[in-house]
């Protein structure tokens, strides 16, 4: 953008010089550094942090193409080419982890995504401020409870003598250890996710709802619209941009199913529905020490994810004229 | 508010009734699991084991489980470690995020855009778990509490939020401070941060909650059990069924029985602090979620 030239730069001729140190551009940078030296001092630790803990691991991901041995290090290990990627794509777990990742994401989009919208719409119809505030305060709460505790509660409640089974048994169902049966994992994962995040998710929608012009409601009322019609024709279109942005962002996160929650909840008997790419990376890499193979899987995930983010941002820009960058 | 009962049709009244009932049910469903845990933690373990179905009240109130929790060295040590991680982590988080946010909010800075891209890019692409693990290991941070602090020193997302807040501060304040001889550090700490207190509060909340709740890094980086933060101790107790190591003082068959209520008491002890602070922070986190939303 509009760069303000340093005031004393005019005397330097613009003729390109062979020596890099005398290049006018570098002169400008040096001047800038001396002028803003405190800003640069502030930036040093920040840039160092990103270089060491974000960019160096990106470089380190090259072990996905190597036969990594911790003894030889990242640079010293011999190259292996695409071998690890091939063995992942041809391996028996490839489809399982990809399918599980996509299915859990899909169910989260299908059920988890609309849940806070519905709650926000219901809350918006409440006129007693105290009631509304109480509902909000309580539904935000689980968002702040740690995942370990949430998973502990899930485990406790889903045991064959746990609360959920007590209720099911009371209704005449058979008792099952829900976390040991693979068919229930996705349901439990998504439902508990809704429990934990529904209230938190409403914040943005409630703000969007508050931003809708009240005159539109007046106009709709004069036209004889009842509250249902008002919701369909005024409220919903009013928050549509917010919904679309969040939906597209959600698609960008498709491959990032919460690995922490999966790792806390799963066990070998339900791997066939519970094992997702990121939990697989953790297990193969840090528990079974197949570092290179695991990095290849991780890199595959990062690459797809990156593509999805770029793609969804592009989509968001086209549809909304809003984008992340 | 505008409560004009007279104007409303039967259908609308019906909807209102339905709406209030539905919202009440949702609220109770959110709250009940926690109430259940609270009641269970206060119950007599034997009676609790025999019980099935919904708990309406604690069965034979007893505080034994809590006594065991507070007698337990692992939990106390876990609390202490978590306290160190949260306080040390927050100090580093806030200072470094403020440095980056402030420097990058100054329009005079060269390559501001490029530097911003350098940081933002890390939000979308990462080297993955294993290379990060080797980076932390290579720096010999593993098996120290630093491994839970330094690798999470800055969140690019939070940096963007803070930068947006700093950009909103009028330039004239900075200029007049400069005329008075203030350097950038003085401007940041004496002008910017005090003016952006609500955003700092949001940052404290976001970073604080994430430190308080984190366990995964501790699991992969720490071997020494005396360094375990509270959440990792909780994981052993709640998810790996390692109650035996927790119920010190109890013997044999008692362990299983006491273990049941001990779990619940531990959940309460580990959750109450965050639930106590959160009503006070509510106004901030609503604000934080909104600033976050604007920036994506």
């Amino acid at each position: 953008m509009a760069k303000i030239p340093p005031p004393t730069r005019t005397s330097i001729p613009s003729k390109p010089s062979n020596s890099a140190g005398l290049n006018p551009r570098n002169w400008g940078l040096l001047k800038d550094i001396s002028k803003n030296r405190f800003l640069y001092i502030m930036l040093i630790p920040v840039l160092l942090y990103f270089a060491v803990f974000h960019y160096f691991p990106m470089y380190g991901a090259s072990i996905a193409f190597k036969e990594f041995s911790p003894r030889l290090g990242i640079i010293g290990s011999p190259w292996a080419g695409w071998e690890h990627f091939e063995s992942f794509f041809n391996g028996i777990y490839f489809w399982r982890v990809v399918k599980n990742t996509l299915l859990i994401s899909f169910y989260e989009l299908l059920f988890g995504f609309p849940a806070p919208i519905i709650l926000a719409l219901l809350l918006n119809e409440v006129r007693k401020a105290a009631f509304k505030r109480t509902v909000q305060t309580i539904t935000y709460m689980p968002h702040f409870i740690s995942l370990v505790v949430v998973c502990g509660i899930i485990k406790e409640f889903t045991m064959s003598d746990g609360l959920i089974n007590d209720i099911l048994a009371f209704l005449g169902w058979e008792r099952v250890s829900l976390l040991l049966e693979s068919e229930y994992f996705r349901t439990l994962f998504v439902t508990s996710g809704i429990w934990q995040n529904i209230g938190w998710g409403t914040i943005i929608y409630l703000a969007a709802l508050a931003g809708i012009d009240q005159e539109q409601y007046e106009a709709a009322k004069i036209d004889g619209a009842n509250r249902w019609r008002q919701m369909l024709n005024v409220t919903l279109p009013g928050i549509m941009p917010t919904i679309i942005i969040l939906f597209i962002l959600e698609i960008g996160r498709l491959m990032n199913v919460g690995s922490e929650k999966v790792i806390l909840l799963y066990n070998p008997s339900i791997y066939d529905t519970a094992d997702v790419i990121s939990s697989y990376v953790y297990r193969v890499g840090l528990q079974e020490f197949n570092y290179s193979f695991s990095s290849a899987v991780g890199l595959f995930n990062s690459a797809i994810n990156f593509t999805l983010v770029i793609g969804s941002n592009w989509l968001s820009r086209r549809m909304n004229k809003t984008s992340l960058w | 508010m505008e409560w004009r009962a007279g104007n409303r049709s039967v259908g609308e009244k019906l909807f209102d009734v339905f709406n209030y009932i539905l919202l009440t049910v949702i609220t109770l469903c959110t709250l009940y699991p926690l109430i259940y845990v609270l009641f269970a933690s206060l119950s007599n373990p034997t009676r609790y084991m025999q019980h099935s179905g919904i708990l309406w009240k604690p069965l034979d109130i007893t505080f034994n489980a809590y006594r065991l929790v507070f007698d337990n060295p692992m939990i106390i040590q876990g609390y202490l470690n978590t306290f160190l991680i949260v306080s040390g982590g927050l100090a580093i988080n806030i200072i470094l995020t403020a440095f980056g946010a402030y420097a990058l909010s100054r329009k005079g800075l060269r390559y501001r855009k490029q530097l911003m891209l350098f940081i933002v890019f890390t939000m979308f692409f990462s080297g993955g778990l294993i290379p990060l693990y080797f980076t932390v290991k290579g720096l010999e941070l593993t098996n120290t509490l630093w491994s839970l602090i330094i690798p999470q020193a800055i969140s690019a997302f939070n940096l963007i939020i803070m930068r947006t807040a700093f950009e909103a501060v009028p330039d004239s304040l900075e200029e007049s401070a400069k005329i008075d001889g203030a350097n950038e550090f003085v401007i940041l700490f004496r002008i910017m941060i005090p003016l952006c207190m609500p955003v700092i509060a949001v940052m404290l909340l976001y970073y604080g909650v994430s430190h308080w709740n984190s366990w995964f890094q501790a699991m992969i980086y720490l071997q020494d059990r005396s360094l375990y933060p509270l959440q990792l101790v909780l994981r052993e107790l709640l998810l790996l069924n390692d109650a035996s190591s927790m119920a010190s003082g109890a013997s044999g068959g008692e362990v299983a029985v006491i273990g049941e209520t001990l779990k619940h008491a531990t959940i309460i002890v580990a959750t109450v602090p965050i639930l106590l602070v959160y009503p006070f922070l509510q106004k901030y986190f609503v604000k934080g979620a909104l600033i976050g939303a604007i920036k994506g």
Side-chain angles (χ1 to χ4, degrees):
Chain A
M1 295 273 286
K3 273 184 206 126
I4 307 141
T8 53
R9 236 191 69 182
T10 43
S11 59
I12 299 160
S14 61
K15 198 193 273 179
S17 154
N18 287 339
S19 143
L22 291 172
N23 186 318
R25 273 191 76 84
N26 292 347
W27 265 97
L29 181 62
L30 284 177
K31 280 237 169 67
D32 192 47
I33 288 179
S34 82
K35 197 180 100 204
N36 289 321
R37 60 189 174 283
F38 289 112
L39 290 185
Y40 282 98
I41 292 172
M42 286 181 190
L43 272 176
I44 288 169
V46 176
L47 298 179
L48 204 63
Y49 164 78
F50 282 100
V52 172
F53 291 102
H54 293 269
Y55 285 92
F56 183 74
M58 285 182 209
Y59 160 74
S62 63
I63 68 172
F65 300 95
K66 291 189 167 191
E67 212 50 75
F68 179 71
S69 93
R71 195 174 47 83
L72 296 171
I74 295 172
I75 303 167
S77 299
W79 291 98
W82 292 88
E83 186 194 308
H84 301 297
F85 289 89
E86 277 165 22
S87 62
F88 172 52
F89 295 144
N90 299 324
I92 45 170
Y93 296 131
F94 175 73
W95 283 113
R96 186 174 88 177
V97 295
V98 170
K99 190 186 85 184
N100 287 341
T101 308
L102 291 177
L103 265 183
I104 292 178
S105 289
F106 174 72
Y107 287 129
E108 284 199 315
L109 275 180
L110 194 65
F111 299 106
F113 184 76
I117 303 176
I118 295 167
L119 180 60
L121 289 174
L122 292 177
L123 276 170
N124 195 44
E125 298 295 328
V126 170
R127 290 169 205 189
K128 286 188 175 151
F131 181 78
K132 189 173 169 179
R133 207 166 41 238
T134 312
V135 174
Q136 281 181 267
T137 304
I138 292 174
T139 53
Y140 293 159
M141 216 157 71
H143 181 81
F144 288 90
I145 298 174
S146 78
L147 213 47
V148 175
V149 165
V150 169
C151 292
I153 295 177
I154 295 173
K155 192 182 169 199
E156 162 86 25
F157 281 13
T158 55
M159 287 194 302
S160 61
D161 61 348
L163 181 66
I164 294 176
N165 270 303
D166 288 346
I167 294 169
L168 291 180
F170 179 77
L171 297 171
W173 267 295
E174 228 171 291
R175 287 177 182 272
V176 264
S177 280
L178 299 166
L179 267 182
L180 296 176
E181 302 287 334
S182 44
E183 56 191 300
Y184 302 115
F185 182 77
R186 291 177 190 130
T187 315
L188 283 175
F189 190 94
V190 174
T191 327
S192 58
I194 293 175
W195 176 77
Q196 203 181 3
N197 292 315
I198 187 170
W200 182 256
T202 59
I203 294 176
I204 290 170
Y205 295 113
L206 285 171
L209 285 167
I212 296 174
D213 191 355
Q214 289 303 311
E215 279 176 24
Q216 291 190 40
Y217 287 105
E218 297 302 326
K221 264 182 228 161
I222 289 162
D223 289 347
N226 60 23
R227 266 162 72 185
W228 175 248
R229 300 292 313 180
Q230 288 173 32
M231 198 207 76
L232 280 187
N233 295 334
V234 180
T235 311
L236 218 49
I239 59 169
M240 217 21 148
T242 313
I243 295 179
I244 293 175
I245 292 183
L246 291 179
F247 186 77
I248 287 171
L249 285 175
E250 208 54 44
I251 290 183
R253 281 197 281 265
L254 213 59
M255 301 298 278
N256 275 351
V257 173
S259 60
E260 292 198 12
K261 197 169 155 194
V262 171
I263 292 169
L264 285 172
L265 281 179
Y266 77 171
N267 57 69
S269 61
I270 54 169
Y271 278 173
D272 58 325
T273 57
D275 201 13
V276 295
I277 299 177
S278 45
S279 59
Y280 185 59
V281 169
Y282 162 70
R283 205 171 61 248
V284 176
L286 294 180
Q287 290 189 319
E288 295 164 13
F289 310 112
N290 291 322
Y291 298 122
S292 282
F293 178 78
S294 173
S295 297
V297 180
L299 203 56
F300 164 77
N301 199 33
S302 291
I304 293 196
N305 213 40
F306 186 64
T307 317
L308 284 172
V309 173
I310 300 286
S312 58
N313 186 60
W314 175 82
L315 212 67
S316 159
R317 194 157 37 188
R318 289 207 51 181
M319 290 175 69
N320 279 301
K321 315 240 181 297
T322 346
S323 65
L324 291 169
W325 57 84
Chain B
M1 297 272 284
E2 36 154 0
W3 184 253
R4 288 165 305 173
N7 282 343
R8 296 174 316 126
S9 67
V10 179
E12 289 192 12
K13 279 179 200 158
L14 217 64
F15 168 77
D16 276 331
V17 172
F18 165 79
N19 191 18
Y20 277 87
I21 293 175
L22 186 62
L23 286 173
T24 309
V25 170
I26 292 173
T27 309
L28 289 179
C29 287
T30 311
L31 197 58
Y32 186 72
L34 301 173
I35 306 257
Y36 178 95
V37 173
L38 178 68
F39 287 168
S41 72
L42 291 167
S43 293
N44 173 322
T46 325
R47 290 243 355 237
Y48 172 72
M49 291 285 268
Q50 288 158 357
H51 173 86
S52 96
I54 291 170
L55 277 179
W56 298 107
K57 59 176 180 19
L59 310 161
D60 292 350
I61 286 201
T62 157
F63 293 93
N64 260 333
Y66 288 93
R67 210 163 296 145
L68 279 171
V69 171
F70 287 113
D71 275 348
N72 190 293
M74 276 298 280
I75 291 174
I76 300 302
Q77 187 66 41
Y79 247 108
L80 192 70
N81 291 333
T82 295
F83 175 75
L84 287 175
I85 295 160
V86 171
S87 46
L90 276 181
I92 291 178
N93 289 148
I94 297 296
I95 290 173
L96 288 188
T97 309
F99 277 2
Y102 177 67
L104 290 165
S105 71
R106 296 304 92 193
K107 293 174 190 71
L109 190 79
R110 265 196 172 212
Y111 304 119
R112 193 166 77 113
K113 273 199 138 175
Q114 288 85 338
L115 290 171
M116 208 54 217
L117 187 67
F118 177 80
I119 289 170
V120 170
F121 183 70
T122 62
M123 289 168 72
F124 303 111
F125 194 80
S126 81
L129 178 66
I130 309 294
L132 179 62
Y133 173 79
F134 279 111
T135 308
V136 175
K137 205 180 159 80
L139 292 168
E140 296 184 4
L141 293 174
T142 42
N143 219 12
T144 67
L145 289 184
W146 292 113
S147 66
L148 312 183
I149 295 176
I150 296 176
Q152 355 276 334
I154 306 172
S155 134
F157 184 76
N158 288 350
L159 192 149
I160 294 173
I161 293 181
M162 223 197 262
R163 190 183 78 131
T164 313
F166 289 161
E167 274 175 346
V169 175
D171 290 341
S172 51
L173 278 172
E174 186 197 348
E175 279 155 25
S176 62
K178 273 197 173 151
I179 292 166
D180 290 343
N183 68 34
E184 264 89 0
F185 285 97
V186 177
I187 295 172
L188 174 60
F189 287 107
R190 302 282 290 275
I191 297 176
M192 288 298 181
I193 290 183
L195 278 177
C196 298
M197 248 3 240
V199 172
I200 302 293
V202 170
M203 296 291 102
L204 285 169
L205 175 71
Y206 278 14
Y207 280 125
V209 169
S210 90
H211 282 304
W212 172 272
N213 285 344
S214 87
W215 63 279
F216 187 72
Q217 287 82 8
M219 180 182 72
I220 61 179
Y221 296 136
L222 302 179
Q223 288 93 49
D224 188 347
R225 290 173 59 87
S226 69
L227 293 173
Y228 277 13
L230 186 61
Q231 302 296 338
L232 206 54
V233 178
L234 280 179
R235 173 174 172 262
E236 294 201 332
L237 179 64
L238 301 178
L239 291 152
L240 305 181
N241 266 332
D242 202 6
S244 53
S245 69
M246 312 304 298
S248 58
S251 62
E254 277 185 305
V255 171
V257 181
I258 294 174
E260 273 309 305
T261 50
L262 186 64
K263 278 186 190 178
H264 298 108
T266 321
I267 291 181
I268 299 293
V269 169
T271 308
V272 159
I274 210 129
L275 291 188
L276 280 184
V277 294
Y278 119 96
F280 300 102
L281 296 166
Q282 194 164 336
K283 57 175 178 176
Y284 292 123
F285 71 65
V286 171
K287 191 175 286 170
L290 294 179
I291 311 171
I294 297 161
K295 279 276 135 186

